[in-house]
Amino acid sequence: MKRTNTNYQWQNGFLIDKNVSDRTSYIAIYANPNMTSAVVPTNVKILKAGLFQNNRNISSINLNNVQYIGSNCFANSSLQNVLGGANVKSAGENAFLATSWLNNQNGDFVVLGNILLGYNGNDEVVYIPDGITRICENCFKSNNIESIVLSDTHDYFPGLPAPPVLPPGLRRSRSRRFSLW
């Protein structure tokens, strides 16, 4: 007798929770720990917190349509390569902590989708690139930062005059300028 589970399924090495209200936004709740290269199924929009945390096998992932990456999702893993990611709207705290992928990012800004994961620069005044909708926690590591400036062309939340979600330690001052507490 074949048993069919309508709430969960295995796909591409992921255990997927299909018991969600939006049938096109499934959640990856477990990943085969032996995968070295993973392709997230196109119907998965959420990667659960800690999904690949401390995984020493994973080296590459294709995020496809992922929109939300949980806290510590790849923390302390052997992740070296991230493909896709254009749809990412949010990444939890330390989602890529201590990964080769994050540590090897060149340039001042580490961006995935429309989120700012990290700032590697040393400027006193940081000008956030256009299109950023979220600034992740622990994004700014420099002790030199005195203020953070957003351009007038940013369109964070269509129809709303709100700034992006800011990490702890930042507050809004005047006209799209943010200062450390």
Side-chain angles (χ1 to χ4, degrees):
M1 171 187 256
K2 184 177 179 181
R3 293 169 57 176
T4 304
N5 187 321
T6 59
N7 293 324
Y8 301 95
Q9 79 178 44
W10 276 103
Q11 191 175 356
N12 295 7
F14 292 92
L15 179 59
I16 300 170
D17 183 350
K18 302 186 317 178
N19 191 22
V20 293
S21 59
D22 177 1
R23 291 292 179 187
T24 63
S25 298
Y26 296 157
I27 304 168
I29 61 172
Y30 179 82
N32 180 336
N34 297 315
M35 285 193 291
T36 57
S37 181
V39 177
V40 179
T42 56
N43 57 354
V44 170
K45 302 290 191 296
I46 301 168
L47 299 181
K48 179 179 115 11
L51 189 65
F52 286 96
Q53 186 173 13
N54 299 317
N55 182 310
R56 304 313 298 164
N57 293 317
I58 191 70
S59 63
S60 178
I61 190 157
N62 184 333
L63 295 173
N64 276 327
N65 296 321
V66 169
Q67 295 178 356
Y68 304 97
I69 300 172
S71 297
N72 299 305
C73 187
F74 298 98
N76 300 304
S77 73
S78 57
L79 186 67
Q80 298 174 12
N81 189 28
V82 175
L83 302 171
N87 296 315
V88 175
K89 296 178 181 179
S90 178
E93 185 175 7
N94 298 321
F96 294 92
L97 177 72
T99 62
S100 293
W101 176 79
L102 183 61
N103 294 337
N104 291 329
Q105 294 300 304
N106 295 324
D108 287 350
F109 298 98
V110 179
V111 177
L112 187 63
N114 291 328
I115 62 172
L116 182 60
L117 290 173
Y119 173 71
N120 297 326
N122 253 348
D123 298 321
E124 290 181 0
V125 178
V126 177
Y127 293 87
I128 302 299
D130 287 342
I132 297 298
T133 57
R134 181 173 291 271
I135 298 172
C136 291
E137 291 186 45
N138 301 322
C139 176
F140 303 102
K141 299 172 187 147
S142 172
N143 292 328
N144 294 337
I145 299 173
E146 293 180 8
S147 65
I148 297 170
V149 181
L150 306 171
S151 78
D152 291 332
T153 62
H154 282 97
D155 185 19
Y156 295 101
F157 303 101
L160 297 175
V165 177
L166 295 175
L170 291 181
R171 63 178 171 80
R172 183 166 188 183
S173 57
R174 295 177 160 221
S175 183
R176 299 197 179 268
R177 189 181 208 49
F178 299 84
S179 301
L180 296 174
W181 292 18

